[in-house]
Amino acid sequence: MSHHSDENAVYASTDSFWEVGNFKRTTKRVEDGNRLCDDLMKLVSERAEIEKMYAKSLKEWAKKWNNIIEKGPEYGTTEAAWKGVLMEAEQRYELHTHVKENLINEVHGNIKQWQRENYHKSMMGQLKEKKDIEDMFKKAQKPWAKLFEKVNKSRQTTTTHARANGQHRTGRNAGGDSSLSPDQHNNIKVKKLQDRVSKARRR
């Protein structure tokens, strides 16, 4: 029986979703979804603030120029035309104020409500929905994760034995070559040991 925890038992060897542990890219979408709700609410809030500032600027501009026209020399139909421009600004002020209120009360409010209903944080700050899905994936993968770990261990054992046998054969072949002098045999052994040390360092 393995002493490793399920969390660290086996790691995926490819990028395939079906490999053990690769479900984490999927469960991360839960976290991403919650974060995107925050980002979208921020986006809407900033746009609402722009609408508010624009409406306020129009209102102040219209008020300023209305006073100037009232006190100025312009009269008759031309004065009415000037004031018509200011009236349009007043109407646009009301329109953008309405847009700002809708963005905050409806769009921002609905996103916040949806987030509250679909994402729940535990006392540790982790999303409950993410943890639940991860637990289900782990449970589903547990049987073949154990088998996969056994296969990997068997593979490693086989590879180790194969290397040991190969080195033994190579050494025996070199040792049995009567055309080589004792110094040449020693040089071959030293070279092999150096190769093994180099390979071990590269790992």
Side-chain angles (χ1 to χ4, degrees):
M1 185 174 172
S2 173
H3 295 290
H4 297 289
S5 67
D6 288 341
E7 183 75 16
N8 301 317
V10 184
Y11 291 94
S13 58
T14 72
D15 286 336
S16 170
F17 167 78
W18 303 106
E19 291 281 0
V20 177
N22 270 359
F23 62 80
K24 289 182 182 179
R25 288 179 302 178
T26 301
T27 57
K28 188 180 179 296
R29 291 177 188 173
V30 178
E31 266 182 345
D32 291 344
N34 185 54
R35 183 176 57 81
L36 287 169
C37 283
D38 290 334
D39 288 347
L40 185 55
M41 284 190 287
K42 186 178 178 184
L43 178 149
V44 170
S45 294
E46 288 179 2
R47 175 59 189 269
E49 187 63 24
I50 291 169
E51 295 291 342
K52 176 185 171 183
M53 296 305 294
Y54 180 55
K56 184 183 175 185
S57 296
L58 280 174
K59 183 83 169 173
E60 289 172 353
W61 175 82
K63 184 179 178 182
K64 169 190 162 185
W65 278 98
N66 189 61
N67 289 336
I68 292 171
I69 293 167
E70 287 287 333
K71 293 173 184 176
E74 196 56 81
Y75 65 94
T77 54
T78 308
E79 181 185 3
W82 283 39
K83 286 191 174 181
V85 173
L86 304 184
M87 191 180 297
E88 183 271 340
E90 290 276 358
Q91 291 170 348
R92 199 163 288 275
Y93 156 80
E94 289 175 8
L95 172 67
H96 285 276
T97 300
H98 184 64
V99 169
K100 185 267 292 184
E101 288 170 356
N102 281 348
L103 284 169
I104 293 299
N105 298 331
E106 293 184 24
V107 182
H108 187 281
N110 286 340
I111 297 167
K112 191 168 186 176
Q113 181 64 29
W114 188 89
Q115 184 186 35
R116 194 179 292 128
E117 290 170 0
N118 290 277
Y119 298 103
H120 305 88
K121 287 195 175 180
S122 66
M123 296 196 52
M124 302 297 289
Q126 186 182 14
L127 285 172
K128 183 180 178 296
E129 287 74 16
K130 183 188 175 192
K131 185 179 183 306
D132 289 347
I133 295 170
E134 280 189 351
D135 288 345
M136 285 189 281
F137 270 119
K138 284 177 189 175
K139 187 177 178 181
Q141 288 189 347
K142 194 172 184 178
W144 79 75
K146 286 182 178 178
L147 291 172
F148 189 60
E149 188 176 15
K150 283 181 184 177
V151 169
N152 277 347
K153 282 183 179 177
S154 298
R155 231 181 245 156
Q156 287 169 2
T157 304
T158 304
T159 304
T160 304
H161 287 312
R163 281 180 185 164
N165 288 338
Q167 287 163 358
H168 179 66
R169 274 195 221 99
T170 305
R172 201 168 52 196
N173 291 341
D177 190 347
S178 59
S179 65
L180 297 175
S181 68
D183 285 342
Q184 287 173 317
H185 281 303
N186 287 335
N187 288 340
I188 288 170
K189 286 178 182 177
V190 169
K191 179 75 171 75
K192 284 178 185 172
L193 286 171
Q194 287 173 339
D195 289 344
R196 287 172 69 183
V197 168
S198 296
K199 284 179 183 174
R201 282 179 179 160
R202 283 198 297 269
R203 286 177 186 166

